[in-house]
Amino acid sequence: MGEQSPGGGKRTAQTAKKAPGGAAVRGEKAAVKGASRTALVRRARRINRELAEVYPYAHPELDFENPFQLLVATVLSAQTTDLRVNQTTPALFAKYPGPEDLATANPEEVEEILRPCGFFRAKTRSVMGLSKALVEDYGGEVPGRLEELVKLPGVGRKTAFVVLGNAFGRPGITVDTHFQRLVRRWQWTEQTDPDKIEAEVGALFPKSDWTDLSHHVIWHGRRICHARKPACGACPIAPLCPAYGEGETDPEKARKLLKYEKGGFPGQRLKPPQAYLDAGGKPAPPLGAA
C-alpha cells in the first residue's frame, strides 16, 4: 500500500520520500536539460505509472452506451466541457437513438437540443452529416478503422482515437488541450502541432499504453495541473516535474485549487463507471439541476 498523495491517490514509497519544493524537485529540473533519450523515456513512463496509481479509475468522461453515442458526444465536446455534453446528450439520444434517426431529423429541432453545447448550428451539421454518412456508407455502423472515421464530417484524428480506444479497444493517443499542455510542461515534446505531438509522445510508450496514458494525462490536467493555476503543492508527481513551481506550491493553498473528485466536487459524467463511484467519485447533475 502506498502513501496517500495530496491529490488523493497513492504514491510509491520512493516518490513519497521527496517533498514537493525540496532539493529533489530542483534536481529533477536540472537533470531534464540535456537528458538522454533513454532518460526521457524512463521519466515519461514513470510519470505514467505514478498517474496510474493516482487515477486507477480513469475513464473517458463522456457518457455513452455504444460507439455511435461516443462518436456524436466527442464531436459535440469541441469548444465545451464534457460535463455540458453529458447534460445535453440524454435528450438527443432519447429522441434520436441511432444514426438513421439523426440523419433524417429536422435540423431546427436538433439545433434546439444542442444549443447548450455552443456552436450548435455547426455541430448540428456535423452530427447529422456523420449520421447520414454512417447510414449510406457503413450500414448504420460506426467503422472501427482510423482511415474511415476521419472521413466522416466533423471527425478528426483526436475524435477518431477517442472512439477507437474507448469503443473498440484499439490503442490511440488523444491530443486535446490538456494533453498538449502537460506533455510540453513535462518536456516530452516541444511540438505544438497535434499530429507531431501524437507521434513524438507515442514513441515514448508501448502502443498498448496509449489509451490509458491519454486518460491519465487528461485527468491530471483537469484536476491538478491546470492551465492558469496548476496546483503544484498538491501534485503527486511534483518530484518528477521539470515545470514544478509554475503554480501554487503551498500545499494548503494548492489543495483549494483541486477540481472534480480531488476537490470533493462531482465529476463530469452523469453515469460514471462503478469503479469511479467506488473510489469516492460523484456523478454530475443533469441539465437544469440546482
Side-chain angles (χ1 to χ4, degrees):
M1 295 292 290
E3 180 186 40
Q4 194 75 9
S5 77
K10 298 176 182 177
R11 297 167 63 182
T12 63
Q14 185 176 7
T15 302
K17 292 177 183 177
K18 303 175 182 178
V25 175
R26 293 192 296 272
E28 180 65 31
K29 284 187 176 183
V32 168
K33 294 183 178 180
S36 67
R37 173 74 179 179
T38 299
L40 172 62
V41 170
R42 287 176 176 171
R43 183 170 61 89
R45 294 184 182 186
R46 184 177 171 195
I47 286 175
N48 188 40
R49 289 196 299 271
E50 296 280 352
L51 293 180
E53 291 193 7
V54 178
Y55 311 107
Y57 45 79
H59 56 267
E61 293 196 85
L62 290 166
D63 281 321
F64 71 99
E65 295 179 356
N66 54 57
F68 173 68
Q69 290 189 359
L70 179 58
L71 176 61
V72 170
T74 307
V75 170
L76 296 179
S77 69
Q79 305 299 314
T80 191
T81 63
D82 286 357
L83 171 58
R84 179 60 62 175
V85 174
N86 292 336
Q87 292 173 327
T88 304
T89 50
L92 180 71
F93 295 138
K95 191 167 186 178
Y96 312 107
E100 298 85 358
D101 309 290
L102 197 51
T104 57
N106 182 327
E108 293 183 356
E109 294 179 0
V110 178
E111 287 179 0
E112 192 58 33
I113 294 174
L114 299 186
R115 187 178 294 271
C117 288
F119 303 97
F120 58 93
R121 291 189 179 90
K123 291 180 180 180
T124 294
R125 289 193 295 271
S126 292
V127 298
M128 290 188 66
L130 71 84
S131 296
K132 184 178 180 181
L134 290 177
V135 173
E136 293 180 350
D137 301 331
Y138 300 101
E141 299 292 331
V142 176
R145 291 173 55 85
L146 175 66
E147 297 80 5
E148 296 169 328
L149 283 169
V150 295
K151 293 178 183 178
L152 299 172
V155 178
R157 289 179 68 87
K158 183 187 81 170
T159 295
F161 281 132
V162 170
V163 174
L164 290 172
N166 299 288
F168 293 99
R170 296 174 182 170
I173 291 179
T174 304
V175 184
D176 73 349
T177 56
H178 301 287
F179 193 94
Q180 292 184 49
R181 179 177 72 253
L182 268 62
V183 298
R184 287 199 294 268
R185 278 180 176 168
W186 296 335
Q187 298 183 17
W188 291 1
T189 181
E190 295 181 353
Q191 301 292 341
T192 57
D193 178 78
D195 290 353
K196 293 180 180 179
I197 291 173
E198 175 196 322
E200 287 200 359
V201 173
L204 301 176
F205 296 88
K207 190 173 183 179
S208 58
D209 288 353
W210 288 356
T211 298
D212 285 342
L213 168 72
S214 300
H215 291 324
H216 299 154
V217 176
I218 292 170
W219 274 57
H220 194 60
R222 285 176 170 168
R223 286 153 177 77
I224 297 177
C225 194
H226 311 136
R228 294 184 180 179
K229 287 187 177 181
C232 295
C235 179
I237 62 165
L240 300 172
C241 182
Y244 175 83
E246 288 186 9
E248 179 58 63
T249 57
D250 179 83
E252 291 302 320
K253 293 180 180 179
R255 271 192 284 271
K256 294 178 181 178
L257 299 174
L258 302 183
K259 296 182 180 179
Y260 302 110
E261 80 286 348
K262 296 301 179 187
F265 305 112
Q268 301 204 59
R269 289 185 71 160
L270 277 68
K271 298 180 179 179
Q274 189 59 47
Y276 178 72
L277 299 175
D278 292 343
K282 301 177 183 178
L287 189 64

